């Protein structure tokens, strides 16, 4: 109960978060698609590219787009688009692409596709490199806290709106 109260207090105080219909959601919460609107996830980066080769993300192309959970993901090529379409959960960033450190603290914040880590086969984004450095100090602890908080984020929650 104390954690839920803290979540709502932090969310209201630190990010304009719409909490109109609170219903616990396991992993169906909102995908971050930017503050200015639109519906492109991961800022247009190819989500599969984080898991291939040297793991350096590459920009996707709208010609290789896949819609999933109300967002559109761009890919560098048709093969990556097909891999994502076959198993989106394997490649989607955790917490809908919101900042993993912010989610651990109980609120939504934008995730930067260039401030990232792949941990145990899952992609995590952070707000920026400074926040990522802080998150890197206790990845396991922050992931555990973020998982609990993510489970209670309403499906219609929005950052910036």
């Amino acid at each position: 109960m104390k954690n839920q109260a803290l979540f709502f207090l932090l969310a209201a105080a630190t990010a304009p978060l719409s909490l109109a219909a609170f219903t616990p959601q396991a992993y169906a919460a909102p995908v971050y698609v930017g503050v200015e609107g639109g519906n492109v996830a991961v800022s247009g980066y190819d989500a599969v590219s984080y898991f291939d080769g040297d793991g350096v993300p590459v920009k996707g192309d709208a010609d290789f787009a896949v819609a999933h959970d109300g967002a559109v993901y761009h890919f560098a090529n048709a093969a990556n688009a097909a891999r994502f379409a076959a198993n989106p959960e394997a490649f989607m960033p955790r917490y809908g692409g919101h900042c993993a450190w912010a989610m651990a603290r109980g609120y939504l914040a934008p995730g930067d596709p260039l401030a990232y880590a792949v941990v145990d086969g899952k992609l995590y984004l952070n707000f920026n490199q400074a926040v990522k450095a802080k998150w890197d100090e206790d990845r396991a602890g922050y992931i555990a806290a973020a998982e609990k908080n993510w489970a209670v984020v309403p499906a219609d929650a929005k950052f910036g709106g």
Side-chain angles (χ1 to χ4, degrees):
M1 184 68 161
K2 184 178 178 185
N3 283 343
Q4 275 187 326
L6 180 60
F7 172 78
F8 287 114
L9 178 62
L10 285 171
T14 59
L17 181 62
S18 169
L19 299 174
F22 175 75
T23 305
Q25 302 288 324
Y27 295 103
V31 174
Y32 176 68
V33 292
V35 177
E36 282 95 35
N39 66 343
V40 177
V42 198
S43 298
Y45 277 81
D46 181 334
V48 173
S49 68
Y50 292 89
F51 299 92
D52 285 343
D54 57 9
V56 174
V58 297
K59 214 45 168 151
D61 186 318
D63 288 341
F64 306 108
V66 176
H68 181 73
D69 278 352
V72 175
Y73 293 80
H74 291 174
F75 299 93
N77 54 56
N80 283 6
R83 285 178 64 198
F84 180 87
N87 188 6
E89 287 73 26
F91 302 104
M92 291 172 37
R94 298 295 299 139
Y95 322 125
H98 293 89
C99 174
W101 184 80
M103 184 51 53
R105 299 180 53 87
Y107 59 92
L108 297 177
D112 179 342
L114 299 178
Y116 68 95
V118 175
V119 179
D120 295 329
K122 296 176 183 164
L123 175 60
Y124 298 89
L125 305 181
N126 286 117
F127 180 74
N128 59 27
Q129 293 297 335
V131 169
K132 181 186 176 303
K134 187 174 292 213
W135 184 79
D136 284 341
E137 293 173 4
D138 184 16
R139 287 179 175 179
Y142 288 127
I143 289 170
E147 290 296 317
K148 289 178 186 174
N149 290 335
W150 185 244
V152 298
V153 172
D156 63 348
K158 291 182 177 35
F159 174 82

